[in-house]
Amino acid sequence: MNIFEFTKEVTDYINSNYEGYYASSIDTIKNNGVKYHGITINHGEDTVLPTIYLEQFLIEYLDGTEMPEIISKILEIDSSAREVNIPDMSFFTDFHRIKDALFLKIINTEKNEELLSQVPSREFLDLSLVVYCDLSAFLEMNATVLVKNSHLESLGISKEELFNVATNNTRNMKILKRDIAEVIMSMEKNREVVVDNQPDFHSAYDKIYVMTNKDMVFGAVTMIFDDVLDEFIMEKYSGVYIIPSSIHEVLLVPDLGNMDRDNLNSMIREVNLTSLLEQEILSFNAYYYSPKEGYSIV
């Protein structure tokens, strides 16, 4: 049984055995096409419904747990979710309330075709820019929500206005550039591992910098600001290689004329496949920027 068959069996069971309950399936698309399959259960006059994801329940079912027990667990989660105050999201239809909380996020175009059909976007090389709202400004939680095509009408704005506001907000967010050796040293220090006396530690990471935003969330988008890269280069280098570490940060490597480009992309692929969650991958390509020639894919 696959997740689609299981979802149908769960919804059919609830709708057939629980009067006044209406279960329906819902898919949530995350970054890079990662999907979570779930259901919502309407009790009659609900306007906001908790989503209950079913992947773990399918595993339990395949391991031998009977359907009535699965349904009992699902209804218990639904009941518990309803005891928590569901946040009022009415503010999300008021552009003037949320405009300062709109920011850019950069994602992989090819891996997000389905998602990009639902949201306003702009192309950047082989990547795409989308807009999200930082809900922490309105709710007592750290959460974000992507602005979809359907939201533009309720917000009363155009795609161009949306991107102008989000670009300005993102540009005005503090951008961090740190020597990667210092970052790693700090991480090791927090783990109480001594690295100060390790030979050639700094030379191994010489002139590699981590760039992100002040929150270190969706910070890879900082790569689109050419004035920031111009300031980094400052006539000392002919250009800079931009390595997509994840959707949260990029690495900057000054062009010293000795970069093995083929090896660079092989390294990125290995890191993506072995060290990152699927939804955190930005790209399998490195990028190059120079003040004279602009951006290009390596």
Side-chain angles (χ1 to χ4, degrees):
M1 175 177 288
N2 60 37
I3 188 65
F4 302 102
E5 295 167 337
F6 179 69
T7 300
K8 184 178 186 307
E9 188 163 334
V10 168
T11 55
D12 287 348
Y13 191 102
I14 293 174
N15 294 335
S16 299
N17 293 279
Y18 293 85
E19 185 177 355
Y21 284 27
Y22 178 70
S24 58
S25 62
I26 183 171
D27 291 341
T28 302
I29 304 174
K30 300 294 186 179
N31 189 44
N32 292 338
V34 175
K35 281 188 178 181
Y36 293 98
H37 304 275
I39 63 169
T40 58
I41 305 173
N42 195 317
H43 293 194
E45 297 181 354
D46 298 318
T47 55
V48 181
L49 304 173
T51 299
I52 303 165
Y53 295 107
L54 299 181
E55 280 79 5
Q56 182 58 43
F57 290 112
L58 173 58
I59 294 174
E60 292 184 22
Y61 184 72
L62 294 176
D63 284 344
T65 304
E66 298 292 333
M67 182 59 71
E69 184 177 348
I70 294 288
I71 299 301
S72 177
K73 291 182 179 181
I74 289 173
L75 294 180
E76 183 177 346
I77 292 174
D78 179 68
S79 177
S80 297
R82 291 169 184 275
E83 293 176 1
V84 178
N85 291 328
I86 298 176
D88 179 8
M89 293 288 289
S90 61
F91 63 85
F92 200 64
T93 61
D94 187 342
F95 175 64
H96 294 288
R97 286 190 65 187
I98 70 170
K99 65 179 182 178
D100 292 335
L102 297 173
F103 300 94
L104 295 177
K105 174 182 176 181
I106 196 165
I107 61 177
N108 186 282
T109 299
E110 183 179 359
K111 295 174 73 66
N112 287 281
E113 288 185 5
E114 185 175 356
L115 176 64
L116 289 169
S117 69
Q118 302 174 16
V119 301
S121 64
R122 284 184 174 174
E123 293 183 358
F124 181 86
L125 299 171
D126 61 341
L127 307 173
S128 291
L129 297 168
V130 295
V131 177
Y132 71 92
C133 181
D134 181 3
L135 298 182
S136 65
F138 310 97
L139 308 175
E140 294 181 359
M141 63 176 69
N142 291 320
T144 64
V145 60
L146 278 181
V147 177
K148 296 186 175 181
N149 294 324
S150 58
H151 294 143
L152 291 182
E153 185 175 353
S154 61
L155 290 171
I157 59 171
S158 65
K159 173 182 172 179
E160 181 178 6
E161 187 173 6
L162 174 72
F163 272 90
N164 285 343
V165 169
T167 300
N168 288 335
N169 290 343
T170 306
R171 182 65 187 85
N172 291 331
M173 183 184 290
K174 184 178 180 181
I175 295 176
L176 303 178
K177 294 189 291 291
R178 297 180 61 193
D179 186 316
I180 193 172
E182 294 179 3
V183 174
I184 295 175
M185 292 274 288
S186 176
M187 292 170 59
E188 297 296 345
K189 184 177 181 180
N190 290 337
R191 296 171 186 160
E192 298 182 351
V193 176
V194 178
V195 298
D196 291 7
N197 296 324
Q198 292 183 8
D200 300 324
F201 175 79
H202 280 280
S203 63
Y205 298 97
D206 188 34
K207 300 188 184 306
I208 301 179
Y209 298 83
V210 180
M211 184 166 71
T212 184
N213 56 31
K214 67 177 181 64
D215 295 328
M216 293 181 285
V217 176
F218 305 147
V221 75
T222 54
M223 67 178 282
I224 73 170
F225 297 115
D226 52 7
D227 58 324
V228 174
L229 297 178
D230 287 338
E231 181 183 356
F232 176 78
I233 294 170
M234 287 183 62
E235 299 182 356
K236 294 190 295 184
Y237 314 108
S238 58
V240 59
Y241 290 93
I242 305 167
I243 301 175
S245 178
S246 77
I247 59 172
H248 300 300
E249 70 282 312
V250 295
L251 303 182
L252 302 180
V253 184
D255 183 6
L256 303 177
N258 59 355
M259 179 63 72
D260 183 339
R261 294 190 173 203
D262 291 336
N263 184 59
L264 184 61
N265 282 334
S266 295
M267 179 193 70
I268 292 171
R269 176 171 293 277
E270 182 178 354
V271 170
N272 283 346
L273 296 178
T274 61
S275 302
L276 293 179
L277 296 175
E278 176 69 24
Q279 56 265 42
E280 292 182 340
I281 296 173
L282 177 59
S283 175
F284 286 87
N285 299 314
Y287 304 93
Y288 185 79
Y289 173 81
S290 72
K292 291 183 178 180
E293 300 177 5
Y295 292 90
S296 61
I297 301 173
V298 173

